[in-house]
Amino acid sequence: MIATPDDYAWFSYEHFPGLADAYCFTYVRGLTPEQLVTRLGGRPEDFTPMTLGELIEARYRHGYDTAFLGATTIGDWVFVVEPNVGLGADEGIITPLSAGTRLVSHFRDVEGVECFYWIEDEKTRFCFIADDGYSEEVPDEVAETLPRIGSDYRHLYPSEGPAFLLTERLTGITLTPELLEGSTYLCGVIPEPR
């Protein structure tokens, strides 16, 4: 079965309050959660295992100016969840984080500002940046996915399905409610993100 944006309608405020209206999901190939934390300038020993619910609750206790995240392993990837914050949308952070590997991230804030990035070894291959829209050049790796999004994909926001489909294509990971809720995340604060 070929996925469409409607297949990700489950990711909604109704089912994931405290996450779906403002989130950042980042996938980095070939790293462990501990390696990711270290690359970002954190100390893995200061991080604690948590469920998704605990991660969301803890994030809101740390305030809006704090870089609080949870990371888990999915296959060969580390998957990062950031409720209501977006290190994964900061090019100054994710470009060096992608060194030697592939990084895919998508972000939405409470005001509806959205970003999507595919970065390969510090080079942006494809992106959607709020107010700028999608990249003009479409790499072959995502060209076959765009028709599944719709003929007018440039007018859809990433969180309406395109980000999930593109991420699935670029990582091989199909995010499901069970995967999101059933994972244990290594959680904590990145004191001064690099």
Side-chain angles (χ1 to χ4, degrees):
M1 184 174 144
I2 297 174
T4 68
D6 291 340
D7 293 323
Y8 288 97
W10 58 264
F11 188 68
S12 65
Y13 182 79
E14 178 183 347
H15 295 103
F16 290 95
L19 183 62
D21 60 340
Y23 73 93
C24 188
F25 293 154
T26 304
Y27 302 73
V28 185
R29 184 174 54 202
L31 297 182
T32 65
E34 294 81 6
Q35 290 168 326
L36 177 118
V37 166
T38 300
R39 275 194 183 194
L40 289 173
R43 295 169 17 120
E45 59 270 21
D46 295 337
F47 279 56
T48 306
M50 296 182 186
T51 65
L52 180 66
E54 292 168 335
L55 161 61
I56 293 168
E57 287 178 24
R59 194 279 159 270
Y60 287 100
R61 286 196 305 269
H62 281 88
Y64 295 107
D65 295 332
T66 304
F68 187 87
L69 60 81
T72 192
T73 302
I74 302 176
D76 293 335
W77 296 78
V78 62
F79 172 56
V80 180
V81 175
E82 297 177 84
N84 202 25
V85 72
L87 293 178
D90 185 329
E91 287 183 84
I93 293 171
I94 60 176
T95 300
L97 183 59
S98 74
T101 191
R102 174 177 285 185
L103 180 145
V104 178
S105 71
H106 50 103
F107 162 83
R108 175 184 170 86
D109 74 10
V110 292
E111 295 175 359
V113 174
E114 301 198 27
C115 301
F116 174 88
Y117 289 96
W118 164 25
I119 303 175
E120 197 87 31
D121 194 16
E122 301 189 72
K123 180 178 183 231
T124 300
R125 296 286 315 277
F126 188 73
C127 65
F128 171 95
I129 300 173
D131 299 326
D132 292 340
Y134 285 93
S135 301
E136 289 300 319
E137 301 223 4
V138 179
D140 291 342
E141 294 90 339
V142 296
E144 67 190 43
T145 303
L146 296 178
R148 293 190 338 222
I149 293 169
S151 60
D152 202 16
Y153 75 90
R154 291 185 184 276
H155 297 287
L156 287 176
Y157 288 103
S159 67
E160 294 172 352
F164 293 93
L165 289 178
L166 292 171
T167 299
E168 184 178 321
R169 170 66 180 100
L170 294 168
T171 66
I173 297 169
T174 301
L175 189 62
T176 64
E178 297 79 18
L179 184 58
L180 189 58
E181 292 178 300
S183 295
T184 299
Y185 299 88
L186 186 64
C187 300
V189 173
I190 303 294
E192 295 179 22
R194 292 186 230 169

